[in-house]
Amino acid sequence: MAVPGGRGATRETAILRATLELLAESGYDQLTIDAVAARARSSKATIYRRWPGKAALVIAAVRRSAGPPAATAPDTGSLHSDLQSALQGMRSSLSGQDAALILGLLAAMHRDPELAGVVREQVLLAKREVFGTVIARAAARGDVPATADAALLAEICSAVLLSRLLVTGEPLDDAFTQHLVDAVLLPALQRPSP
């Protein structure tokens, strides 16, 4: 086990960074342990001692890149402000990631169930938890029906933000997140779930 901040930790960081870089450059299918070792200036044996194969290595890199899930949902006392804050957190997270990396992960998820599970755990479930807490607080205050669908809300937000980042290239600024809250999220939350 690597000592925090020691040589082993430095080597691990280089390997995981190289993995993400190569994933973004060439995609999951073209990613090889040989290429990671060369980019990280490490040996294949060092990589295989820590990770049994490509999927495990990519999963470790994704986990490291994603960082810890959001600790707490915003709690301003206002549903509108909480939604705006949650969207700004999602936007910051997405904006800090390479679009090519996101596309590479999305493509790889279709072929590797283990990788898909980790990405969903690190990304989607954390967002659902944040929105679930925001909606539960709003329901407790009487701002939305108790049946409001927080999971759907998180999915809508993810889809819209990813579309802007990867497809349309339109701005992900405060004006847009404000419009998303006012035109889509708040009206959707006022409708009872079927």
Side-chain angles (χ1 to χ4, degrees):
M1 175 164 260
V3 175
R7 184 173 176 210
T10 302
R11 170 115 21 240
E12 180 175 305
T13 297
I15 291 168
L16 296 178
R17 183 181 314 114
T19 302
L20 291 175
E21 289 170 358
L22 289 166
L23 181 63
E25 290 170 16
S26 58
Y28 183 79
D29 291 337
Q30 301 303 315
L31 179 76
T32 66
I33 298 297
D34 285 332
V36 172
R39 174 78 56 100
R41 297 179 185 197
S42 181
S43 70
K44 287 190 326 183
T46 297
I47 294 171
Y48 281 117
R49 271 195 301 272
R50 181 75 173 90
W51 301 280
K54 179 167 75 169
L57 179 59
V58 170
I59 288 166
V62 169
R63 282 189 173 135
R64 171 79 61 91
S65 172
T72 59
D75 187 8
T76 65
S78 156
L79 175 59
H80 187 275
S81 296
D82 287 352
L83 290 172
Q84 182 72 14
S85 294
L87 277 173
Q88 289 170 343
M90 287 175 69
R91 178 187 66 196
S92 295
S93 175
L94 273 177
S95 297
Q97 294 178 8
D98 186 316
L101 171 62
I102 294 169
L103 286 171
L105 284 174
L106 290 174
M109 286 171 64
H110 287 287
R111 292 181 297 280
D112 189 317
E114 184 183 10
L115 179 64
V118 171
V119 172
R120 288 182 185 120
E121 174 191 327
Q122 294 294 321
V123 179
L124 184 57
L125 295 181
K127 289 175 188 170
R128 283 183 178 172
E129 187 175 308
V130 167
F131 280 98
T133 302
V134 166
I135 301 311
R137 287 181 189 144
R141 291 189 305 263
D143 295 342
V144 296
T147 58
D149 191 342
L152 179 60
L153 190 72
E155 191 171 349
I156 289 169
C157 292
S158 292
V160 171
L161 295 181
L162 280 171
S163 175
R164 286 239 165 181
L165 178 70
L166 302 174
V167 179
T168 69
E170 294 178 72
L172 281 173
D173 55 13
D174 288 344
F176 171 72
T177 58
Q178 183 71 42
H179 180 64
L180 182 58
V181 168
D182 293 336
V184 178
L185 303 184
L186 289 174
L189 285 169
Q190 297 309 318
R191 292 179 170 54
S193 294

